[in-house]
């Protein structure tokens, strides 16, 4: 017998949805790091292919990390801001519906509770209890899948995307700068492959996907990007 209060049992699915959203944020962080690894690696390997000076290589690498991180931050901020605006609009509409037709909204909440497996004889009292406690929160969580106290935060999203990109971008940047010039590209390729294997495996684990295929995809994509930019660097280098 479940001894939890009935309102907690009703919200159990909503709490699992919140956990799922947190995992999505974590996956987004992993993908931000992955983007930082690939884009920065492609840049520094391409520049190295042009046989430029170490100072030029350092400048291009730092520029790639900074520009990519800022781009990720702005893009994520804009995207999540739009999502937050949408959530606020849904909550405002729900608030107006509760004010205009409280009886109808109570009937709707009762139906939502029944749909979660609650006995019809209990659904109505639970709906009344939740409405008296906080009608908007009850409807938001059960009907919209939104917790009014935990709306998405564009600042957090932008900052986390920026930081994970920087962390990822530092892998190829440090690898190519700290290695002897004669083997710098090779060392960078190895470092990138290992880093991509880690991010690909973690991403697959969080998503419950096949790790081998996920790792293979990111590694092939990263190697392809580096091969193309290195080839362009070699071509441009011979023309300078």
């Amino acid at each position: 017998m479940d001894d939890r209060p009935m309102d907690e049992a009703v919200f159990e699915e909503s709490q699992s949805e919140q956990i799922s959203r947190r995992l999505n944020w974590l996956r987004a962080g992993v993908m931000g790091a992955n983007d930082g690894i690939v884009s920065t690696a492609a840049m520094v390997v391409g520049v190295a292919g042009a046989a430029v000076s170490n100072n030029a290589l350092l400048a291009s690498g730092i520029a790639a990390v900074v520009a990519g991180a800022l781009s990720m931050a702005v893009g994520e901020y804009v995207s999540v801001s739009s999502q937050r605006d949408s959530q606020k609009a849904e909550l405002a509409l729900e608030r107006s519906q509760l004010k205009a037709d409280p009886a109808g909204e109570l009937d709707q909440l009762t139906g939502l509770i029944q749909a979660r497996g609650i006995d019809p004889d209990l659904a109505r009292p639970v709906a009344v209890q939740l409405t008296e406690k906080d009608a908007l929160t009850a409807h938001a969580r059960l009907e919209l899948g939104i917790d009014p106290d935990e709306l998405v935060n564009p600042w957090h999203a932008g900052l986390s995307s920026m930081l994970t990109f920087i962390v990822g971008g530092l892998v190829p940047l440090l690898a190519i700068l700290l290695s002897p010039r004669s083997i710098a590209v090779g060392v960078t390729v190895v470092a990138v492959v290992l880093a991509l294997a880690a991010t690909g495996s973690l991403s697959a684990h969080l998503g419950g996907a096949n790790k081998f295929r996920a790792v293979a995809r990111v590694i092939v994509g990263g190697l392809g990007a580096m091969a193309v930019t290195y080839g362009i660097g070699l071509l441009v280098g011979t023309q300078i």
Side-chain angles (χ1 to χ4, degrees):
M1 179 87 179
D2 194 340
D3 294 329
R4 293 173 301 165
M6 187 57 68
D7 57 345
E8 290 185 14
V10 169
F11 285 140
E12 180 179 8
E13 186 174 334
S14 267
Q15 291 169 350
S16 69
E17 291 168 355
Q18 291 174 13
I19 294 173
S20 178
R21 284 196 293 270
R22 292 190 182 99
L23 287 176
N24 286 337
W25 282 113
L26 183 54
R27 280 196 291 271
V30 172
M31 295 311 298
N34 187 79
D35 288 344
I37 294 167
V38 174
S39 61
T40 305
M43 171 65 79
V44 295
V45 167
V47 173
V52 299
S53 67
N54 286 337
N55 287 338
L57 185 58
L58 173 62
S60 64
I62 293 176
V65 172
V66 172
L70 292 176
S71 176
M72 286 285 293
V74 171
E76 195 68 16
Y77 176 84
V78 171
S79 175
V80 176
S81 290
S82 298
Q83 183 182 353
R84 185 182 179 90
D85 290 342
S86 177
Q87 290 178 332
K88 286 183 174 180
E90 289 182 289
L91 290 173
L93 176 60
E94 190 62 42
R95 189 179 290 108
S96 66
Q97 291 174 339
L98 285 167
K99 183 177 181 179
D101 185 16
E105 291 297 301
L106 180 59
D107 290 338
Q108 182 186 47
L109 184 61
T110 301
L112 291 170
I113 293 171
Q114 285 185 236
R116 290 176 178 260
I118 304 300
D119 188 275
D121 294 334
L122 293 176
R124 188 71 176 190
V126 171
V128 171
Q129 180 181 345
L130 291 174
T131 298
E132 291 175 349
K133 182 178 180 180
D134 189 337
L136 179 61
T137 295
H139 280 269
R141 295 177 68 178
L142 293 175
E143 181 181 350
L144 306 175
I146 298 173
D147 187 335
D149 296 324
E150 294 187 13
L151 298 183
V152 293
N153 190 313
W155 290 103
H156 290 171
L159 181 61
S160 62
S161 294
M162 181 177 69
L163 292 178
T164 55
F165 186 98
I166 291 173
V167 170
L170 286 176
V171 173
L173 180 59
L174 294 177
I176 204 164
L177 291 176
L178 299 179
S179 305
R181 192 62 185 269
S182 60
I183 60 170
V185 171
V187 170
T188 302
V189 170
V190 172
V192 167
V193 167
L194 293 176
L196 290 177
T199 59
S201 178
L202 180 56
S203 178
H205 176 73
L206 293 172
N210 182 281
K211 290 184 179 181
F212 177 80
R213 285 199 294 268
V215 170
R217 280 196 298 266
V218 295
I219 289 178
V220 170
L223 290 176
M226 287 187 290
V228 170
T229 56
Y230 185 70
I232 293 174
L234 285 175
L235 180 63
V236 171
T238 58
Q239 306 301 317
I240 297 179

